[in-house]
Amino acid sequence: MTAQNKELLAILIFCLTYVLISGRQLKILPLNRPAAAMLGTVLMVALGILTPEQAYRAVDYDTLVLLLGMMLISAYLFLAGFFDWAAHWILRRARSPQALLIYLILTSGILSALLVNDIICLMLTPLVVAVIVRGRLPLAPYLLALAMSANLGSVATLVGNPQNMIIGHLSGIPFLRFSASLAPVALAGLAIQYVVLRVGFRRVLGQVVIQRPEEPPPPLDRRLLILTLAVLGLVFAGFVAGLNLSWTAMAGGALVMVLAKRDTHQVLKLVDWNLLVFFAALFIVVEGLSKTGLPDQTYRYVQPLFGSSTASQAWNFAWFSEPGSNVFSNVPFVLVAGKWINNFARPELMWKVMALTTTFAGNLTIVGSVANIIVVESARGHIELGFWDYARYGIPVTILTTVAGLLILLALHS
């Protein structure tokens, strides 16, 4: 098989996988997202696009270890009764469905700025589902609020998401100087998101009333809860101290398993193994596409279109970055595009533009960010969100927040 045929096959396999994981299950090929990603992985290896060794190396094991560690801690919080208790507590105090929506947006956005957005979604999704189901409210607006605000809030700091961490390392921009420019962008984005969801779901939210629980709060396993929260505090302290995220989380999960004195089979059954398989397979499919050289070829083609002035470069690079981040994934895109930033008129501004666009691009589609996938997959037992269920709100949120964010950045750097 010629190199050109391999490249064409890799692109076709990626497109097939993307279609299958973006929409609902098709009648002709009834595969869920993990199975669809596995199919793409097998095709990449079976057709010679990747060797088995290359496929193994393509998997980002740090991400899988991080997710597994946080899933274990979440499982112990569940066993302690924390999520049911928290749902009961919140519902007794929420005044309206609209107020609950804005509280959720602010909570998810602020926490994602301080910690990795994927972790926030992993920790909050079970709680949000418990709150909404217990209150007999529609799940869709609140799940969208959780995922989108986690993406939007994470842009505010260099530790909010993986691509920002890479940008901080490559650019050398000081933490506070970065946040001084991007924190206002994040706040504006959260406000815009609330307006879009509030208007888009105005009928649904206006027709329901929160069903407040009259029964007493569910019982808590206080010993297990205190132990798990203490370990979680140590894990977060390790994150803030700059320890390895993945192995800090895994160490926390292992520590709870040792000290909790619970049947570990019960805990491991609560881990979402489907999600871990999905990510592992998706890494391999994306690597197969990257081997075609399509990202570099695309940049060489569009480079003359960026222009020469600061404003034109910022706007044009932004609209190039958003689809690029969705097609090639934001972290690989940052690693490749980071090599080009010093060629622009104002490199520091363009680093911040790339942070903004690669983060906000995550809200464009349901597979635009890991945070989205975590929320959708974690809640799939209660609701099935399809591609257009998400995109009808994700597209306007992405466009409006990007425009507002770029205007703020250009004003701050004028």
Side-chain angles (χ1 to χ4, degrees):
M1 185 184 299
T2 65
Q4 186 175 7
N5 288 338
K6 281 189 175 182
E7 291 179 0
L8 179 60
L9 273 176
I11 294 171
L12 291 175
I13 293 169
F14 176 83
C15 292
L16 171 64
T17 306
Y18 190 86
V19 169
L20 291 176
I21 66 178
S22 296
R24 301 179 189 273
Q25 297 182 17
L26 303 178
K27 293 182 179 180
I28 299 177
L29 203 59
L31 301 177
N32 60 14
R33 292 184 179 99
M38 288 179 63
L39 174 62
T41 295
V42 171
L43 290 176
M44 286 289 185
V45 175
L47 296 178
I49 309 303
L50 295 172
T51 65
E53 292 75 17
Q54 289 172 327
Y56 298 143
R57 290 196 298 268
V59 177
D60 186 344
Y61 294 102
D62 278 340
T63 299
L64 301 185
V65 170
L66 174 61
L67 287 171
L68 178 57
M70 298 310 296
M71 285 178 183
L72 289 172
I73 296 174
S74 295
Y76 279 103
L77 286 174
F78 175 81
L79 292 175
F82 170 75
F83 296 119
D84 283 342
W85 176 87
H88 185 280
W89 188 89
I90 291 173
L91 285 174
R92 288 185 67 88
R93 286 157 180 78
R95 295 184 177 181
S96 68
Q98 296 83 357
L100 187 59
L101 182 68
I102 195 168
Y103 295 157
L104 175 59
I105 288 174
L106 290 174
T107 300
S108 176
I110 293 172
L111 289 177
S112 294
L114 302 175
L115 299 165
V116 182
N117 60 343
D118 302 342
I119 295 175
I120 297 305
C121 287
L122 191 63
M123 299 299 291
L124 288 185
T125 301
L127 172 60
V128 170
V129 171
V131 167
I132 303 310
V133 170
R134 185 179 289 268
R136 299 179 186 177
L137 298 172
L139 268 172
Y142 298 100
L143 291 178
L144 293 177
L146 172 61
M148 291 181 182
S149 55
N151 291 324
L152 293 168
S154 71
V155 80
T157 70
L158 287 172
V159 297
N161 56 57
Q163 62 268 25
N164 277 15
M165 296 178 188
I166 295 171
I167 288 172
H169 174 71
L170 295 177
S171 68
I173 300 174
F175 187 95
L176 290 179
R177 196 160 79 202
F178 181 92
S179 294
S181 298
L182 275 301
V185 170
L187 290 174
L190 293 173
I192 291 171
Q193 177 209 356
Y194 172 72
V195 172
V196 171
L197 293 180
R198 178 72 175 80
V199 172
F201 287 100
R202 61 187 182 279
R203 292 184 179 177
V204 174
L205 296 178
Q207 294 173 353
V208 294
V209 177
I210 296 178
Q211 301 296 318
R212 302 181 190 278
E214 297 180 358
E215 68 275 9
L220 283 171
D221 185 334
R222 295 186 181 276
R223 177 190 175 277
L224 182 59
L225 179 61
I226 293 172
L227 171 63
T228 308
L229 290 177
V231 171
L232 185 60
L234 291 175
V235 169
F236 284 170
F239 290 163
V240 174
L243 300 181
N244 181 278
L245 293 177
S246 303
W247 289 102
T248 300
M250 182 59 81
L255 181 60
V256 180
M257 292 180 76
V258 171
L259 299 178
K261 298 180 181 179
R262 287 290 191 98
D263 182 4
T264 53
H265 288 88
Q266 184 183 14
V267 176
L268 292 174
K269 287 179 181 178
L270 295 173
V271 171
D272 193 343
W273 299 104
N274 288 332
L275 185 61
L276 296 176
V277 170
F278 174 73
F279 281 126
L282 196 58
F283 286 135
I284 297 172
V285 174
V286 172
E287 175 65 17
L289 180 70
S290 298
K291 283 182 67 65
T292 66
L294 186 61
D296 288 337
Q297 295 173 19
T298 302
Y299 177 77
R300 287 195 296 270
Y301 179 78
V302 301
Q303 184 180 14
L305 303 177
F306 290 152
S308 57
S309 68
T310 298
S312 65
Q313 288 181 349
W315 286 103
N316 292 330
F317 185 65
W319 302 126
F320 170 75
S321 298
E322 293 209 336
S325 295
N326 271 270
V327 172
F328 303 115
S329 185
N330 46 24
V331 170
F333 180 85
V334 167
L335 289 172
V336 173
K339 301 174 183 177
W340 311 324
I341 297 298
N342 288 332
N343 297 323
F344 288 100
R346 299 184 64 181
E348 180 172 324
L349 171 62
M350 298 307 291
W351 281 115
K352 295 174 182 178
V353 169
M354 185 161 66
L356 183 159
T357 53
T358 56
T359 300
F360 285 9
N363 284 332
L364 188 65
T365 68
I366 203 169
V367 292
S369 76
V370 173
N372 298 348
I373 297 171
I374 289 173
V375 171
V376 171
E377 288 296 314
S378 298
R380 70 181 184 278
H382 298 273
I383 186 174
E384 184 73 22
L385 285 174
F387 182 85
W388 290 111
D389 298 327
Y390 186 100
R392 62 187 296 186
Y393 301 101
I395 292 173
V397 165
T398 301
I399 293 174
L400 293 173
T401 54
T402 299
V403 170
L406 284 172
L407 289 174
I408 292 172
L409 279 183
L410 290 173
L412 292 174
H413 287 78
S414 60

